Amino acid sequence: MTNRSAEPARRTGDRGRYGRLSRSRVLKTAFDLVDREGLSALSMRKVAAELDVEAMSLYRYANGKDALLDGLVEVLYEHIEQELAHCAPPPATDWQAGLQRIVRATYQVALSHPQMAPLLATRILAVPMARRPQAVLRTHEQVLTLLEQSGLDRQSAVHAYRAVTAWTLGFILTDLQAMVDDPTAPEIGFRLGLQHMSAQETPALRTAAERLAEPGGTLALETGLAALLASYSPTDR
Amino acid sequence: MTNRSAEPARRTGDRGRYGRLSRSRVLKTAFDLVDREGLSALSMRKVAAELDVEAMSLYRYANGKDALLDGLVEVLYEHIEQELAHCAPPPATDWQAGLQRIVRATYQVALSHPQMAPLLATRILAVPMARRPQAVLRTHEQVLTLLEQSGLDRQSAVHAYRAVTAWTLGFILTDLQAMVDDPTAPEIGFRLGLQHMSAQETPALRTAAERLAEPGGTLALETGLAALLASYSPTDR
DNA sequence: CATCGTAGGCTTACGGCGTAAGGTCCATCA
DNA sequence: TGATGGACCTTACGCCGTAAGCCTACGATG
């Protein structure tokens, strides 16, 4: 509610007519809020408050909370595209390297914004493909195009596409899974809460927990990707 | 609130002292509600209403909504265990078949209860491993044990375990992803909402959409699983 | 400069939600 | 029979999403 009449509402590209809101400002605020406090802390009212605005004002730029969540996914994929754009030149001939590049970028952006990970899983289940944000569709289009370049027939390319998508999503979720039970504990076993796990019923899992707590890493991601791709392109073996 | 004093509160194993509630009854009611109306329709108050009880009464059996959600995951994995128990005998020597069996059961239970799928993704991110329901841990223990039987060293077994988990979860989510935009449309293209997808920007995806709308199926699930497993066990190639 | 249509933001209000705190009743058993 | 305590209920609070409608400052127009 701060009166900023000192600024005569110059219509920069990033503010609305009154020099206050804009879609990008709303999404960025929500994005930062989730990064900072987690998805469960996201509410229309809090986002609005951070913008010195009432909740209902957001509706012009994100028509309801679901639309806001989809906006967050959009931002996430825009980050992926940025990562892809400024980071590496695409080696036009090597389709497999092209796929690796996209999958790796997706993984890294997810790691940078772990609080958003649930969105990747839940929104894909909630919003039909045709309604997904453009940035999402563009990225998926690239994946599919690369696979079709690889010489696979259309049917196999679609199967491979599903495999790549499933692997990437599953790997990210598995990698980000909650392992730490008590962050304040000094010893790793207690930090993981192993004293709550029965050594009778789940001995192997208990023993493996320490190793499972470490992130999988880019290497494991790409190993699995390569294995899946190889199984779809008979030329490779 | 119906007075059922006709029944003198016989303490069957499935009811509490007053012959009304019990953990299993609460979870079953919530589970059915989600199956019927979706996760977003789940609320403490509605579950309570279906049991002719007040919301706060549930807290003795599920201490808050998060605990209720974890209870649903528990029920889901109990279904998986039932599927495993009554369906096929485990071929003790063939560890790969053993893994297939578990993964397939997980997939089939997920398909039977598609509304629960988001829980698989979100709860794994929210509750530390050591605090997961016993049924979940038992199933994971089986997977890990089978992999250790396969001759992999401990380190590789853990990597393979992560891969199996990631693949299964990712495959399920990808398989259950929303594709249908307008269920009432007679023609498939409109049913998928393809008119909303730009033929300029995402032509390949648009074309592939029809194929993507079909479920992946058990075969694709097992193909990918085999490919991943092969990449972790050098003896296989 | 005066006017006007409207985009952009605000107000109010409603019903539903999770849950903290404490009360009540009744099956049990001494 | 009377005490005990577990099972369920009542009340209340503060959040939430959002429908409906209002108000006003702005850009365009003359």
Side-chain angles (χ1 to χ4, degrees):
Chain A
M1 234 72 91
T2 64
N3 192 345
R4 56 185 71 184
S5 58
E7 293 179 22
R10 66 260 130 95
R11 249 176 164 309
T12 73
D14 202 24
R15 338 278 281 209
R17 182 146 130 200
Y18 293 75
R20 316 255 264 139
L21 295 182
S22 73
R23 178 167 166 84
S24 64
R25 247 162 74 78
V26 168
L27 293 185
K28 182 164 181 14
T29 303
F31 195 88
D32 292 347
L33 177 62
V34 171
D35 257 355
R36 211 182 327 121
E37 304 182 29
L39 252 187
S40 64
L42 178 71
S43 77
M44 300 298 274
R45 293 169 131 101
K46 279 196 208 147
V47 173
E50 292 213 358
L51 289 163
D52 274 331
V53 139
E54 300 302 313
M56 291 308 290
S57 306
L58 304 180
Y59 275 67
R60 189 158 311 267
Y61 303 99
N63 195 25
K65 190 172 188 183
D66 280 0
L68 187 63
L69 294 175
D70 291 337
L72 294 184
V73 174
E74 186 179 346
V75 173
L76 213 53
Y77 271 85
E78 282 164 359
H79 282 207
I80 293 173
E81 289 184 314
Q82 284 166 29
E83 181 104 358
L84 286 173
H86 84 65
C87 199
T93 64
D94 190 348
W95 58 271
Q96 187 148 352
L99 284 176
Q100 261 190 33
R101 200 165 135 267
I102 297 178
V103 168
R104 203 188 308 129
T106 307
Y107 176 59
Q108 278 165 1
V109 168
L111 284 194
S112 304
H113 305 283
Q115 308 276 24
M116 307 284 177
L119 288 180
L120 292 179
T122 55
R123 298 318 289 166
I124 209 183
L125 294 169
V127 1
M129 195 182 78
R131 301 248 184 229
R132 304 209 180 121
Q134 281 294 333
V136 176
L137 295 181
R138 277 195 302 264
T139 304
H140 287 168
E141 173 80 9
Q142 273 192 62
V143 170
L144 186 53
T145 303
L146 283 168
L147 284 168
E148 287 179 347
Q149 279 174 25
S150 76
L152 266 56
D153 60 298
R154 274 189 140 61
Q155 175 81 339
S156 303
V158 168
H159 283 149
Y161 167 82
R162 305 187 63 148
V164 172
T165 307
W167 173 248
T168 306
L169 179 57
F171 190 90
I172 288 171
L173 294 177
T174 304
D175 209 59
L176 256 32
Q177 82 180 284
M179 293 294 299
V180 174
D181 177 48
D182 174 11
T184 74
E187 202 263 319
I188 179 150
F190 285 94
R191 204 153 47 234
L192 298 178
L194 293 192
Q195 71 279 12
H196 298 117
M197 287 186 66
S198 158
Q200 260 87 53
E201 298 200 67
T202 57
L205 205 57
R206 231 181 87 110
T207 305
E210 202 166 324
R211 282 187 213 275
L212 280 171
E214 297 160 11
T218 311
L219 183 66
L221 174 64
E222 290 173 0
T223 302
L225 178 66
L228 287 169
L229 289 177
S231 77
Y232 282 100
S233 60
T235 66
D236 242 26
R237 48 177 310 280
Chain B
M1 236 79 85
T2 64
N3 192 346
R4 57 185 68 186
S5 57
E7 294 180 23
R10 73 262 130 85
R11 248 178 168 309
T12 74
D14 201 25
R15 338 279 279 208
R17 182 147 128 200
Y18 294 83
R20 314 253 266 139
L21 296 182
S22 73
R23 178 168 166 85
S24 65
R25 247 163 74 80
V26 169
L27 292 185
K28 182 165 182 11
T29 304
F31 195 88
D32 291 348
L33 177 63
V34 171
D35 256 356
R36 209 183 326 120
E37 304 183 29
L39 251 188
S40 64
L42 178 70
S43 77
M44 300 298 275
R45 293 169 131 100
K46 279 196 207 145
V47 173
E50 293 214 356
L51 289 162
D52 274 332
V53 137
E54 300 302 314
M56 292 307 291
S57 305
L58 304 179
Y59 275 68
R60 189 156 313 267
Y61 303 99
N63 195 28
K65 190 170 188 185
D66 280 359
L68 186 63
L69 295 176
D70 290 337
L72 293 184
V73 174
E74 186 179 346
V75 173
L76 212 54
Y77 272 85
E78 282 165 357
H79 283 206
I80 292 173
E81 289 184 315
Q82 284 166 31
E83 180 103 359
L84 286 173
H86 84 65
C87 198
T93 63
D94 191 349
W95 58 270
Q96 188 149 351
L99 283 177
Q100 260 191 34
R101 199 165 136 267
I102 296 178
V103 169
R104 202 187 309 128
T106 306
Y107 176 59
Q108 279 165 1
V109 168
L111 284 194
S112 305
H113 304 282
Q115 308 276 25
M116 308 283 178
L119 288 180
L120 292 179
T122 57
R123 299 316 291 165
I124 208 184
L125 293 170
V127 1
M129 194 181 79
R131 301 248 184 228
R132 303 208 181 121
Q134 281 293 331
V136 175
L137 295 181
R138 277 195 302 264
T139 305
H140 286 168
E141 173 80 10
Q142 273 191 63
V143 170
L144 187 53
T145 302
L146 283 168
L147 284 168
E148 286 178 348
Q149 278 174 26
S150 77
L152 265 57
D153 61 296
R154 274 189 141 62
Q155 176 79 339
S156 302
V158 168
H159 284 148
Y161 167 82
R162 305 188 63 148
V164 171
T165 308
W167 173 247
T168 307
L169 179 56
F171 191 88
I172 288 171
L173 294 177
T174 304
D175 210 58
L176 256 33
Q177 82 181 284
M179 292 293 301
V180 174
D181 178 47
D182 174 11
T184 75
E187 202 263 320
I188 178 149
F190 285 95
R191 203 154 47 235
L192 297 178
L194 292 193
Q195 71 278 12
H196 298 118
M197 287 186 65
S198 158
Q200 262 86 49
E201 298 199 68
T202 56
L205 206 56
R206 231 182 87 111
T207 305
E210 202 166 325
R211 283 188 213 273
L212 280 170
E214 299 161 9
T218 310
L219 183 66
L221 173 65
E222 289 173 1
T223 303
L225 178 65
L228 287 169
L229 289 177
S231 77
Y232 282 101
S233 60
T235 66
D236 244 25
R237 50 178 304 283

